[in-house]
Amino acid sequence: MSAVCVYCGSNSGRLPVYADRARAFGRALAGRGLELVYGGGRVGLMGTVADAVLADGGRAFGVIPRQLVEAEVAHSGLTELVVVETMHQRKTRMFERAQGFVALPGGFGTMEEIFEVLTWTQLGMHARPCAFLDVAGYYGHLEAMLDHMVAEGFLRAAQRANVWIGDDIDALLDWMQSYRVEPVSKWIVPPAAEQTQAG
């Protein structure tokens, strides 16, 4: 793995710990020689993680729609910044560049982006690791919801097991770098035992 795509808020959130952990995550990427792939912004946690990567001598690759460049939120100091016309083009370029995907705390955009790549995993379209960095319990309710999806028969246990959620940055990156699980297709009929458990 040489590049990690990070989805996170264009705001910094209510608690200082969100920015602190974004900064720590950026430093960890740079320390391991992993390129940051992200949405190209200079604001919120997006700017924080990029600044941390760059400050520690790492590489930061950003992709941003022209509309947001014109709104003056593009980061001007990145290793490379690609300007595209649409959000779909942005997400495609980020996906093509990265070998793994991590969600830091964020809002609608963060959720939409990480769940899109999770859906692609479910459909067997890629076998790259997807993880959530749980800062100050931010993703605790989401973790419970994923488990609830399994319990209610809307998500297979093997697919849930492909998603890492936790607060330890080194453990997250270690898991991503050793990730070898093949995608479990949504359309493969599960074994009888799993059908019984889901039912």
Side-chain angles (χ1 to χ4, degrees):
M1 185 172 65
S2 60
V4 174
C5 181
V6 174
Y7 306 120
C8 59
S10 57
N11 295 307
S12 295
R14 181 175 64 88
L15 302 174
V17 69
Y18 295 134
D20 291 343
R21 296 298 283 165
R23 200 171 292 114
F25 193 78
R27 289 196 299 265
L29 290 179
R32 292 180 183 231
L34 297 172
E35 180 182 63
L36 167 68
V37 176
Y38 85 118
R42 61 174 172 78
V43 296
L45 297 187
M46 296 175 70
T48 299
V49 69
D51 287 342
V53 168
L54 295 167
D56 274 28
R59 292 179 51 83
F61 174 84
V63 187
I64 192 166
R66 190 174 307 281
Q67 177 184 359
L68 295 183
V69 173
E70 293 166 356
E72 300 183 1
V73 297
H75 197 305
S76 61
L78 301 178
T79 311
E80 184 177 354
L81 179 66
V82 175
V83 178
V84 295
E85 298 303 321
T86 70
M87 288 293 289
H88 291 296
Q89 291 171 342
R90 177 196 219 181
K91 291 187 293 182
T92 298
R93 291 295 296 272
M94 291 165 67
F95 176 79
E96 291 172 345
R97 184 86 170 200
Q99 290 82 52
F101 308 90
V102 179
L104 274 59
F108 284 164
T110 301
M111 295 299 98
E112 185 267 336
E113 290 173 316
I114 189 67
F115 272 97
E116 182 171 58
V117 293
L118 282 170
T119 301
W120 292 348
T121 304
Q122 185 183 48
L123 296 174
M125 296 171 65
H126 73 88
R128 305 175 210 175
C130 298
F132 293 81
L133 181 63
D134 186 23
V135 179
Y138 186 78
Y139 284 122
H141 293 295
L142 176 63
E143 185 171 20
M145 185 65 205
L146 294 179
D147 293 337
H148 184 60
M149 289 176 182
V150 174
E152 294 302 310
F154 289 100
L155 183 66
R156 293 183 60 188
Q159 292 162 344
R160 166 65 184 90
N162 280 348
V163 184
W164 192 96
I165 302 178
D167 62 0
D168 187 315
I169 292 173
D170 285 329
L172 185 160
L173 292 175
D174 287 345
W175 174 82
M176 294 188 82
Q177 292 188 294
S178 63
Y179 184 83
R180 292 292 181 270
V181 178
E182 291 298 318
V184 181
S185 174
K186 174 186 174 100
W187 306 115
I188 296 175
V189 177
E194 188 172 334
Q195 287 179 335
T196 300
Q197 292 172 0

